Amino acid sequence: MKKGFISLAVVCQLISGCGLPTVDFEMVSGRVIGRETYNTNDSLNAMLISLDTNSVRGNFGRDVSFNGRAFKNVVKTYSLEASRLDSARRYSFMFYQTDVIANHSCNLSTTNTVDVPQIKIKEVAQTVQ
């Protein structure tokens, strides 16, 4: 019986593409630090997230100064999930790196934008603090 199970497992592995599935997203903890402001329509302003530096695959984002404070590994996202998050809490972010969407037309006299890589959030979970 054990030999039959191993044979079946080998056949299934060959049929499924000869290898372990690859993960096409990243998972890193961090916190929301604020919103870019350059448009009166808040849905056109990206949320900024400071990711922790202990990622297995390396660091993401850039070090920036935002609202008078220094942050490391900052990325931006237009994902609606981020706009609903509490900046006082830490979250685990599953995300894809994505091409940067060009800024929409600026219609505010005072803008606060940050040139950082963009991500698309797949899933968010609150971490225990």
Side-chain angles (χ1 to χ4, degrees):
M1 182 67 180
K2 188 175 183 180
K3 195 175 200 181
F5 178 77
I6 293 172
S7 298
L8 179 61
V10 170
V11 169
C12 288
Q13 186 71 16
L14 290 172
I15 291 171
S16 69
C18 297
L20 297 174
T22 58
V23 176
D24 61 349
F25 61 89
E26 310 294 341
M27 186 168 170
V28 180
S29 63
R31 72 178 68 228
V32 173
I33 61 171
R35 181 186 298 274
E36 281 188 322
T37 53
Y38 60 90
N39 198 296
T40 54
N41 181 349
D42 265 349
S43 68
L44 300 178
N45 296 321
M47 294 302 294
L48 300 171
I49 299 170
S50 177
L51 299 172
D52 293 338
T53 58
N54 57 358
S55 166
V56 173
R57 295 190 192 192
N59 295 333
F60 301 97
R62 294 192 181 107
D63 296 351
V64 299
S65 177
F66 183 74
N67 289 338
R69 293 186 57 201
F71 295 96
K72 294 188 173 289
N73 303 313
V74 176
V75 294
K76 70 171 72 175
T77 184
Y78 292 94
S79 300
L80 291 176
E81 295 91 339
S83 65
R84 298 182 185 115
L85 300 178
D86 181 359
S87 62
R89 299 183 183 269
R90 184 166 303 287
Y91 297 92
S92 290
F93 295 95
M94 280 190 231
F95 63 91
Y96 302 95
Q97 289 185 298
T98 183
D99 294 332
V100 174
I101 296 173
N103 283 351
H104 304 282
S105 61
C106 179
N107 59 15
L108 291 174
S109 59
T110 57
T111 62
N112 193 1
T113 61
V114 180
D115 181 26
V116 294
Q118 187 172 325
I119 63 170
K120 180 173 182 179
I121 295 176
K122 176 179 177 168
E123 191 173 320
V124 178
Q126 184 176 337
T127 60
V128 178
Q129 296 187 18

